[in-house]
Amino acid sequence: MAGIHVYTFDSKYDAVRFFAPAVGVPEDPVTGTANAALAGYLKFTNKLVKEEYSFEQGHALNREGVVHVKLKENEIRVGGEAVCILEGVLKL
């Protein structure tokens, strides 16, 4: 297992935290990928309580953000606002 995704629905938003220290990520401040997977898991296991979630993350890292996830018949849509915090060039 590369990481763990912890969540609760007992807050203003659906709060989550994602940790993956085994692959060099102590905590991901805001993660659309993990939140989309969580929504898919909730749907697959029939634990889904609504068709749209707003997952809040990043408070402990002072990099707060909200990821909006909408579930439709056979698709999961992920969105939110983004801020560029790093730029670089990858040479292969």
Side-chain angles (χ1 to χ4, degrees):
M1 175 182 356
I4 186 166
H5 197 156
V6 183
Y7 66 95
T8 181
F9 299 127
D10 289 337
S11 68
K12 177 181 174 185
Y13 293 98
D14 305 310
V16 298
R17 293 181 77 180
F18 181 74
F19 307 94
V23 292
V25 180
E27 182 175 356
D28 193 336
V30 182
T31 173
T33 305
N35 289 323
L38 172 60
Y41 166 78
L42 294 173
K43 184 171 185 171
F44 179 75
T45 58
N46 294 317
K47 295 177 183 176
L48 188 67
V49 294
K50 52 189 175 180
E51 297 295 316
E52 187 172 332
Y53 289 88
S54 294
F55 293 115
E56 181 179 9
Q57 274 184 271
H59 293 285
L61 303 173
N62 292 321
R63 290 176 55 194
E64 297 89 0
V66 178
V67 175
H68 304 284
V69 180
K70 294 181 184 179
L71 290 106
K72 296 199 174 195
E73 185 66 29
N74 288 315
E75 71 180 22
I76 299 173
R77 293 184 178 212
V78 180
E81 295 182 20
V83 175
C84 182
I85 60 164
L86 178 70
E87 289 186 33
V89 175
L90 177 64
K91 294 183 180 185
L92 301 176

